[in-house]
Amino acid sequence: MNSTVSVRTCGDYDASILVPVVQRVLDDIGGINTFVKTGQRVLLKPNLLMSSPPEMARVTHPAVVEAVAGMVIDAGAKPFIGDSPPMGNLARVLSKSGYDPFMKKMGIDAVPFSRKLAAEFQEERLFRRIELAGEIFDFDVVINLPKLKTHGQMFLTLAVKNLFGSIIGPDKAAWHLKAGKDYESFATVLVQIFEKIRPVFSLLDGILGMEGDGPNNGTPRKVGIVAASADAIALDASVCRLLGLKAERLMTCALGQAMEVGVADENRIDVVGDRPAGFPLRNFKTPKSMSMTWNMTERSFLRRFLEGHFIATPRIDKKACAQCKICLNHCPPKAISEKNGGLEIDHRKCISCFCCQELCTSDAIRFQQPWLGRVMAFLSR
């Protein structure tokens, strides 16, 4: 059976424009009443990376979450908003990111993720046990509301990656460390989390996306789409193709299909809705930090050669650094230390998880890419 993905064009977050688009997108995949029933408690899971104004494209725009929450209420259910930001408490992130006004108006409560629950998996899965936020399983329905952004470690952060927020804040670094530089291992964690939570649908905020070195310090870019599907793998694969990128480059798509959790094959996805002009994009900027060394052993000569001649590595711009030490305190392998009056990264310890760049609020983490890497990145587009 094919998976259905709806894509609709939308150029503005104004409610008069956005709400009808969200309504049509959901109608395309069966309508809100297919997924939400009267009396249910519904958890909305947006991307709430950090306290950031919506125009920076770091978080799911509050207008998108408000539109979906309104439809949940119209369906007779009660919405809540939950997440576990990697830094900063949820209440502060919601407030600084523009969520407070509509949450107060609609009587929506925030649900901080703080209680661990061990999720068990079948024997054939790589990870038999993953500790997730127990609060998620207190709800009848979960709706996934990701942001369209690039990601230095995982290439893009779309629907599947957004559910990594179900890992309680401090444990995120532990998973980065456990996966190390093994792209497939970390992608497997993400697919298994999606498999366990199984949101009834995912609706992507792609009106203002982020390109370049996301998910924090990339460049906002108007993409102008809202997309949704009950199959997050199919949604992510379809968005990749709209951006002019091969879906296979997003490992969660390939693994999701192989694990029979979702569909990534273009021939098994029915894309409905609008046929937006100008797509697929021809110049969407991907992260220059994306590593080519996943799955090579640490002592591999080829790996050392690639890391030295092709791969972008993080550097701390001491002039821009605010000395907040958030990167130092959250670096999974403890590769950052104070030295010579500033912070420095020991690249022998660095595992290329880019948590430092993801958490830096001063845009002080820059990537230094050798010229061979720049040439390869250009040729691989």
Side-chain angles (χ1 to χ4, degrees):
M1 182 177 178
N2 285 10
S3 291
T4 300
V5 175
S6 172
V7 178
R8 294 280 182 177
T9 56
C10 186
D12 200 288
Y13 288 107
D14 182 89
S16 64
I17 298 172
L18 174 63
V19 172
V21 171
V22 172
Q23 182 74 64
R24 288 195 292 272
V25 164
L26 292 181
D27 286 345
D28 288 340
I29 62 172
I32 189 68
N33 295 107
T34 299
F35 306 104
V36 175
K37 306 302 180 186
T38 300
Q40 287 185 326
R41 299 170 75 249
V42 179
L43 180 68
L44 307 181
K45 168 57 182 80
N47 185 317
L48 294 170
L49 174 64
M50 59 170 57
S51 301
S52 181
E55 62 268 20
M56 297 301 295
R58 291 169 176 151
V59 301
T60 306
H61 199 288
V64 173
V65 183
E66 180 180 5
V68 175
M71 292 173 192
V72 168
I73 292 171
D74 290 344
K78 182 172 177 56
F80 299 77
I81 295 176
D83 202 358
S84 179
M87 68 177 214
N89 64 63
L90 179 60
R92 177 178 173 81
V93 172
L94 288 167
S95 178
K96 297 292 185 180
S97 301
Y99 280 64
D100 275 358
F102 85 83
M103 289 179 67
K104 290 177 181 177
K105 178 181 68 176
M106 302 172 85
I108 299 174
D109 293 330
V111 182
F113 295 165
S114 59
R115 187 180 83 247
K116 294 182 184 180
L117 177 69
E120 304 288 342
F121 294 86
Q122 306 166 30
E123 287 186 7
E124 63 266 24
R125 293 300 184 231
L126 179 62
F127 299 99
R128 295 293 306 280
R129 176 189 175 101
I130 301 175
E131 288 191 330
L132 302 176
E135 290 84 358
I136 293 173
F137 302 96
D138 294 338
F139 293 87
D140 301 301
V141 170
V142 176
I143 293 175
N144 189 25
L145 301 173
K147 183 75 170 177
L148 192 163
K149 300 191 293 180
T150 49
H151 193 279
Q153 185 184 24
M154 297 306 296
F155 187 52
L156 293 171
T157 172
L158 302 173
V160 174
K161 175 66 173 64
N162 189 50
L163 293 175
F164 191 56
S166 63
I167 299 287
I168 293 174
D171 289 353
K172 290 181 172 69
W175 274 106
H176 280 293
L177 183 59
K178 185 173 183 177
K181 294 185 178 183
D182 185 350
Y183 185 18
E184 185 170 342
S185 176
F186 192 66
T188 302
V189 173
L190 301 179
V191 173
Q192 285 192 214
I193 291 172
F194 163 69
E195 178 184 31
K196 181 61 64 175
I197 295 175
R198 284 288 186 178
V200 289
F201 67 82
S202 298
L203 185 141
L204 178 87
D205 170 14
I207 299 171
L208 181 68
M210 179 181 286
E211 64 180 358
D213 290 320
N216 177 10
N217 295 322
T219 304
R221 172 169 177 169
K222 188 172 183 179
V223 179
I225 61 168
V226 174
S229 180
D231 180 348
I233 304 293
L235 175 61
D236 287 358
S238 300
V239 171
C240 280
R241 295 177 180 116
L242 285 170
L243 297 178
L245 308 170
K246 294 179 180 179
E248 302 80 53
R249 292 187 67 183
L250 190 58
M251 180 65 76
T252 49
C253 288
L255 282 176
Q257 178 158 299
M259 293 164 63
E260 299 184 347
V261 174
V263 173
D265 184 350
E266 189 172 11
N267 296 320
R268 295 173 57 195
I269 300 174
D270 297 324
V271 180
V272 300
D274 298 331
R275 295 190 176 277
F279 290 87
L281 301 181
R282 297 181 178 275
N283 59 348
F284 187 80
K285 296 178 182 177
T286 56
K288 60 177 176 288
S289 55
M290 187 64 189
S291 177
M292 297 162 57
T293 61
W294 289 106
N295 297 326
M296 295 183 189
T297 62
E298 293 289 339
R299 297 181 182 179
S300 163
F301 168 79
L302 178 58
R303 178 176 184 147
R304 293 198 305 272
F305 176 81
L306 289 173
E307 288 179 334
H309 295 81
F310 289 86
I311 307 306
T313 53
R315 297 288 191 276
I316 298 176
D317 184 337
K318 293 184 178 181
K319 291 183 179 179
C321 180
Q323 293 287 320
C324 65
K325 300 181 184 178
I326 290 173
C327 61
L328 183 152
N329 295 328
H330 289 80
C331 178
K334 307 299 182 186
I336 301 175
S337 60
E338 295 183 84
K339 190 175 182 180
N340 301 325
L343 300 177
E344 292 189 4
I345 299 173
D346 184 344
H347 291 93
R348 294 170 298 178
K349 296 181 179 179
C350 178
I351 61 171
S352 300
C353 67
F354 301 104
C355 287
C356 55
Q357 188 263 358
E358 185 170 332
L359 297 176
C360 181
T361 58
S362 304
D363 195 14
I365 307 295
R366 309 296 169 81
F367 296 103
Q368 180 176 309
Q369 187 173 39
W371 69 271
L372 282 175
R374 294 194 295 272
V375 171
M376 287 295 295
F378 174 80
L379 293 176
S380 65
R381 289 190 59 80

